[in-house]
């Protein structure tokens, strides 16, 4: 039986585009889940593998397949062809199974468009239910799990070493038994993306305050080019979070450095971003955090939360200062958090969410 990754057949996690019968998984941890009885399941998937050249896969797309909610994925699949049918699951005996296909590579790299899903029987069952608790998690590479499986900080980034399941974001969601929507993009920020020390202008072409308004900006650019009138704006009623986690500022630090004028601009624009987030999510608690990789705008991030809270009389906005990563805990690619650092961060964030929500 062949079927589309449409919402009457599958459960959707995260912000995904459904265009011309193809389900595009863009953001880290976006996923489709379905339940069936049978021995085998496959997926026809489009990707942009041809952009990386023959025999080269450092930035190709990756997906992981989970079976019946197991702790570890049954398969991790590199999307190494532009159009291909991939086996998601295979068993010698017929079973009732729930499969979850999760995007492991982040939005900027490794596109993934599910053309169709196919099972070896006609027994496609009702899609699995959503979890009751819901988290929206807005962030950068730390949230994506960038390079978390790299051997050390000197190993160049590859999508093969990226794993959102080992990021603080999904570890927190797992600890809280919550569904998580990740809006995360490496190198991104409030007023600037990552820039090197010699930069004379910020990297402000595509920042989170803009990304946040769209279903999937990277997918929209792929499908529609630069015509923003065609880009799909996110319908915020589709996912109503109980808690929103925001971890933004690490990349802004590379531009702000120790220049107070730039730091103040970051603070002021953070306040504006909070206004937008609150406008779309009037009932959610918002927990802002910063500090794991760079703490140069930590004070300004906390000030932004205080200013917003005081001006709007909003007591459901909170701030959590995160400790700097400990060299003894190791590093991932490009000095990013190691699995141990990500776990420690998740423990702190989980405890704070429990305190705020009484969970």
């Amino acid at each position: 039986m062949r079927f589309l990754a449409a919402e009457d057949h599958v459960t959707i996690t995260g912000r995904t585009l459904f265009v011309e019968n193809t389900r595009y998984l863009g953001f880290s941890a976006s996923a489709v889940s379905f339940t069936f009885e049978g021995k085998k399941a496959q997926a026809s998937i489009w990707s942009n593998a041809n952009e990386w050249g023959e025999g080269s896969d450092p930035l190709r797309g990756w997906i992981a397949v989970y079976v019946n909610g197991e702790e570890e994925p049954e398969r991790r699949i590199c999307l190494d062809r532009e159009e291909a049918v991939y086996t998601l699951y295979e068993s010698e005996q017929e079973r009732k199974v729930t499969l979850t296909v999760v995007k492991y590579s982040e939005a900027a790299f490794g596109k993934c468009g599910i053309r169709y899903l196919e099972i070896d029987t006609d027994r496609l069952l009702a899609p699995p239910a959503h979890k009751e608790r819901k988290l929206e998690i807005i962030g950068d590479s730390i949230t994506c799990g960038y390079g978390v499986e790299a051997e050390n900080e000197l190993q160049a980034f590859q999508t093969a070493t990226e794993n959102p399941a080992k990021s603080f974001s999904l570890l927190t969601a797992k600890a809280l038994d919550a569904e998580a929507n990740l809006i995360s993009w490496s190198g991104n920020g409030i007023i600037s993306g990552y820039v090197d020390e010699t930069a004379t202008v910020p990297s402000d072409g595509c920042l989170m305050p803009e990304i946040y308004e769209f279903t999937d900006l990277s997918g929209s650019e792929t499908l529609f080019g630069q015509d923003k009138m065609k880009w799909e704006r996110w319908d915020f009623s589709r996912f109503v979070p109980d808690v929103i986690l925001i971890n933004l500022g690490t990349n802004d630090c590379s531009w702000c450095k120790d220049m107070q004028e730039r730091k103040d601009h970051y603070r002021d624009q953070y306040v504006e971003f909070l206004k937008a987030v609150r406008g779309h999510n009037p009932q959610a608690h918002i927990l802002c955090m910063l500090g794991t990789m760079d703490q140069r705008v930590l004070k300004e991030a906390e000030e932004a939360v205080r200013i917003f809270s005081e001006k709007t009389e909003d007591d459901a906005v909170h701030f959590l200062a995160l400790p700097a990563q400990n060299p003894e805990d190791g590093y991932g690619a490009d000095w990013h958090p190691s699995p141990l650092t990500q776990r420690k961060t998740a423990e702190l964030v989980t405890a704070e969410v429990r305190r705020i929500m009484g969970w």
Side-chain angles (χ1 to χ4, degrees):
M1 175 184 178
R2 184 175 294 182
F3 56 97
L4 299 175
E7 291 187 72
D8 53 342
H9 298 135
V10 302
T11 299
I12 306 298
T13 301
R15 298 184 179 189
T16 69
L17 289 166
F18 192 60
V19 179
E20 295 183 351
N21 292 329
T22 297
R23 176 71 61 184
Y24 292 92
L25 306 183
F27 286 117
S28 298
S30 55
V32 299
S33 304
F34 61 96
T35 302
F36 77 104
E37 292 180 346
K39 295 181 180 180
K40 187 174 183 178
Q42 297 177 300
S44 175
I45 298 177
W46 166 87
S47 189
N48 61 340
N50 59 331
E51 293 183 12
W52 308 115
E54 288 291 331
S56 174
D57 64 356
L59 298 177
R60 283 183 170 156
W62 282 81
I63 58 173
V65 183
Y66 288 81
V67 178
N68 293 334
E70 292 290 333
E71 291 281 322
E72 297 294 329
E74 177 127 328
R75 299 173 185 229
R76 289 173 67 162
I77 300 170
C78 178
L79 305 179
D80 56 0
R81 288 161 286 174
E82 187 172 0
E83 295 271 357
V85 175
Y86 299 91
T87 297
L88 305 177
Y89 169 82
E90 200 163 17
S91 172
E92 293 183 356
Q93 297 181 338
E94 284 198 358
R95 299 171 58 199
K96 176 183 175 182
V97 292
T98 295
L99 301 185
T100 300
V101 181
V102 184
K103 179 88 175 331
Y104 263 29
S105 52
E106 63 176 274
F109 307 116
K111 310 301 183 185
C112 174
I114 301 175
R115 303 293 198 200
Y116 62 81
L117 298 158
E118 190 166 23
I119 56 177
D120 65 330
T121 67
D122 60 359
R123 297 192 294 277
L124 179 66
L125 307 179
H130 288 279
K131 290 183 179 293
E132 182 177 349
R133 295 174 177 172
K134 293 179 171 58
L135 301 181
E136 180 173 87
I137 308 176
I138 306 168
D140 48 33
S141 54
I142 299 171
T143 301
C144 296
Y146 176 105
V148 70
E149 294 182 338
E151 293 180 5
N152 54 53
E153 66 275 13
L154 301 180
Q155 182 177 344
F157 171 68
Q158 301 179 33
T159 46
T161 65
E162 191 164 40
N163 188 343
K166 292 183 178 179
S167 72
F168 84 91
S169 49
L170 290 197
L171 291 172
T172 298
K174 179 181 176 182
L176 296 169
D177 192 26
E179 181 175 332
N181 272 22
L182 272 59
I183 306 100
S184 55
W185 197 299
S186 285
N188 214 276
I190 298 287
I191 64 168
S192 179
Y194 179 80
V195 295
D196 62 36
E197 287 296 318
T198 63
T200 57
V201 293
S203 175
D204 57 3
C206 174
L207 296 172
M208 189 54 67
E210 179 180 26
I211 291 170
Y212 187 66
E213 300 296 325
F214 293 95
T215 300
D216 177 3
L217 189 145
S218 70
S220 294
E221 286 183 331
T222 298
L223 295 168
F224 307 118
Q226 294 299 310
D227 185 357
K228 292 187 179 182
M229 296 298 292
K230 294 181 180 179
W231 294 2
E232 182 178 295
R233 288 193 169 270
W234 176 242
D235 177 359
F236 287 87
S237 68
R238 294 188 62 188
F239 185 83
V240 181
D242 301 293
V243 183
I244 299 170
L245 308 179
I246 304 177
N247 190 347
L248 290 172
T250 299
N251 295 297
D252 298 279
C253 286
S254 68
W255 168 247
C256 293
K257 300 179 174 64
D258 292 315
M259 302 179 191
Q260 194 57 50
E261 183 178 357
R262 294 180 185 181
K263 291 182 177 184
D264 290 345
H265 181 49
Y266 162 80
R267 177 199 62 208
D268 296 343
Q269 291 306 118
Y270 203 144
V271 172
E272 293 303 309
F273 183 53
L274 286 172
K275 289 179 182 177
V277 172
R278 172 55 79 216
H280 292 306
N281 304 276
Q283 304 301 321
H285 277 263
I286 301 172
L287 174 59
C288 303
M289 66 196 71
L290 191 63
T292 304
M293 289 185 69
D294 199 323
Q295 300 193 336
R296 286 177 288 182
V297 297
L298 183 62
K299 179 172 70 73
E300 286 72 23
E302 187 169 10
E303 285 178 354
V305 172
R306 176 183 56 77
I307 291 168
F308 174 79
S309 182
E310 289 177 354
K311 283 187 174 181
T312 61
E313 298 183 345
D314 189 335
D315 61 359
V317 183
H318 318 269
F319 185 78
L320 177 64
L322 296 172
Q325 55 190 343
N326 185 341
E328 293 182 0
D329 294 337
Y331 295 101
D334 300 327
W335 304 91
H336 277 70
S338 67
L340 179 54
T341 299
Q342 291 276 18
R343 289 198 301 271
K344 287 183 173 181
T345 302
E347 289 171 1
L348 294 172
V349 177
T350 299
E352 185 65 4
V353 173
R354 289 191 190 280
R355 184 191 69 80
I356 292 168
M357 302 298 295
W359 287 349

